[in-house]
Amino acid sequence: QVQLVESGGGLVQAGGSLRLSCAASGRTFNNYRMGWFRQAPGKEREFVATISRSGGSRYYADSVKGRFTISRDNAKNTVWLQMNSLKPEDTAVYYCAASQIIGVPYTANLYDYWGQGTQVTVSS
């Protein structure tokens, strides 16, 4: 089992920044590729970003590329999502997730553990 707890969400004006954190406990953190997803009201959960076990490779959704950065520190069992130049359409509940697969997990069904989510609201 891996327990994930997100923090750092909040209300921010368009153009602003937020940094989300996800603290992991339980099994060895660096055994898992980590990802961030988001879900807006009435919409399906969508992929945002993922990072490899070592942190050496990162992939982003086109909608956030160039604005968001995913990072991790295996010594601290933590993954972050730095979000810059936020837009109202970034408003959603953001979820941290852990995956055991070997490839690049772009879809929610490839993740094994999830956090409870943190709300991000971007006002125009």
Side-chain angles (χ1 to χ4, degrees):
Q1 285 281 352
V2 175
Q3 292 79 42
L4 303 172
V5 179
E6 302 97 334
S7 60
L11 173 64
V12 64
Q13 288 189 332
S17 298
L18 281 175
R19 190 191 196 201
L20 305 184
S21 298
C22 173
S25 60
R27 294 191 173 182
T28 307
F29 181 65
N30 60 7
N31 283 346
Y32 296 88
R33 175 179 279 274
M34 300 300 296
W36 286 95
F37 284 73
R38 65 186 182 187
Q39 189 166 17
K43 295 188 176 181
E44 293 189 355
R45 193 167 297 190
E46 66 170 352
F47 168 78
V48 174
T50 186
I51 188 167
S52 63
R53 290 164 177 79
S54 67
S57 65
R58 310 171 191 192
Y59 298 89
Y60 298 93
D62 288 343
S63 58
V64 307
K65 203 171 293 182
R67 299 188 298 123
F68 291 11
T69 302
I70 188 171
S71 61
R72 69 188 292 167
D73 185 332
N74 289 338
K76 296 181 178 179
N77 286 2
T78 302
V79 60
W80 296 275
L81 185 68
Q82 177 67 43
M83 305 185 296
N84 298 330
S85 303
L86 282 161
K87 305 175 181 179
E89 51 263 44
D90 294 319
T91 295
V93 177
Y94 282 71
Y95 297 90
C96 171
S99 173
Q100 299 181 79
I101 77 162
I102 301 302
V104 180
Y106 290 109
T107 57
N109 65 309
L110 296 178
Y111 287 79
D112 305 285
Y113 302 102
W114 292 84
Q116 83 289 349
T118 185
Q119 176 71 47
V120 171
T121 303
V122 184
S123 64
S124 56

